[in-house]
């Protein structure tokens, strides 16, 4: 998780900077957030690099926005992050996800639709990587689960089975703990061992 935090550990350690929760925004750079589109999708966008910010501002409102003092420098954009975030959100919410990806992607702005879990199931990238695997289950048949990560070339991990049905090994565990067959049966009847057996 630390690899996802960028400079936050450094800022916390050396500058006593404790960022507050900001959703998908960054506390130290703007614009970066997730925005809703007119067709009900979500778009993740990062225009924090100066060249990307200029390209984004050109798409949003042309040279007038590029020259706006509130957005001319990274520090100014961060100081006016709420204004910039509102402009980006207003622009995106009137367009489809495909329109936003095309308009901003063609300009080199880091932008992508946020996919639901269901949309990723048949994604060619995930399929090719073997990100998901089907595992046999005694009750359900084949169950789709996440494959191990990372995948080692010489010793690739694999999922052999899902967790057992609830209570499947109760009697075995209780015997190992010293309970008699009669005690185990009595406990199963009166519900002492919980669901299943």
């Amino acid at each position: 998780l630390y690899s996802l935090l960028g400079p936050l550990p450094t800022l916390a350690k050396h500058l006593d900077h404790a960022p507050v929760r900001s959703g998908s925004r960054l506390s130290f750079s703007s614009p970066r957030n997730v925005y809703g589109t007119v067709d009900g999708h979500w778009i993740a966008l990062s225009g924090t690099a100066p060249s990307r910010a200029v390209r984004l501002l050109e798409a949003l409102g042309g040279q007038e926005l590029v020259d706006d003092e509130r957005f001319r420098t990274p520090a100014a954009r961060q100081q006016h992050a709420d204004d910039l975030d509102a402009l980006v959100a207003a622009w995106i919410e009137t367009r489809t996800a495909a329109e936003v990806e095309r308009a901003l992607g063609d300009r080199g702005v880091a932008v992508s639709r946020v996919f639901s879990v269901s949309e990723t199931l048949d994604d060619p990238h995930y399929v090719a990587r073997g990100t998901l695997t089907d595992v046999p289950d005694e009750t359900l048949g084949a169950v789709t689960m996440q494959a191990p990560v990372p995948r080692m070339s010489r010793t690739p991990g694999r999922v052999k089975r899902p967790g057992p049905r609830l209570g499947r090994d109760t009697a075995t565990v209780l015997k190992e703990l010293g309970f008699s067959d009669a005690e185990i049966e009595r406990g199963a009847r009166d519900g002492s061992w919980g669901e299943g057996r």
Side-chain angles (χ1 to χ4, degrees):
L1 288 175
Y2 266 104
S3 65
L4 301 175
L5 296 179
L8 296 182
T10 304
L11 295 173
K13 173 80 173 176
H14 299 288
L15 300 178
D16 199 28
H17 173 75
V20 296
R21 292 182 184 275
S22 58
S24 298
R25 289 172 64 171
L26 292 177
S27 62
F28 53 86
S29 189
S30 183
R32 183 176 186 273
N33 208 340
V34 178
Y35 305 91
T37 64
V38 72
D39 57 346
H41 293 287
W42 290 94
I43 292 287
L45 177 145
S46 179
T48 59
S51 62
R52 303 296 195 260
V54 167
R55 294 173 192 167
L56 173 63
L57 291 166
E58 288 172 345
L60 297 179
Q63 195 60 40
E64 182 180 333
L65 272 183
V66 174
D67 293 336
D68 189 316
E69 289 299 321
R70 297 174 299 165
F71 311 131
R72 286 188 61 126
T73 66
R77 286 191 295 279
Q78 187 54 34
Q79 183 179 355
H80 299 282
D82 289 340
D83 295 339
L84 182 53
D85 203 51
L87 283 171
V88 174
W91 187 86
I92 289 177
E93 72 185 9
T94 63
R95 291 164 173 77
T96 67
E99 290 170 335
V100 174
E101 285 182 304
R102 189 170 42 256
L104 299 182
D106 288 351
R107 292 177 176 267
V109 177
V111 63
S112 177
R113 186 158 59 104
V114 177
F115 292 95
S116 70
V117 172
S118 297
E119 291 171 312
T120 65
L121 294 176
D122 296 318
D123 183 275
H125 177 77
Y126 292 118
V127 171
R129 290 183 54 86
T131 303
L132 299 172
T133 185
D134 288 332
V135 180
D137 179 81
E138 60 190 51
T139 305
L140 303 173
V143 176
T144 301
M145 303 177 77
Q146 296 96 325
V149 175
R151 188 106 8 94
M152 307 295 188
S153 57
R154 290 189 193 159
T155 57
R158 67 184 180 97
V159 180
K160 296 178 183 178
R161 62 185 176 276
R165 66 176 168 74
L166 185 62
R168 184 187 79 182
D169 298 318
T170 301
T172 303
V173 171
L174 291 171
K175 279 186 182 189
E176 289 176 8
L177 293 173
F179 287 88
S180 69
D181 288 340
E183 290 172 313
I184 293 170
E185 285 296 327
R186 187 171 49 256
R189 279 194 309 275
D190 67 20
S192 295
W193 316 131
E195 292 182 41
R197 178 155 179 261

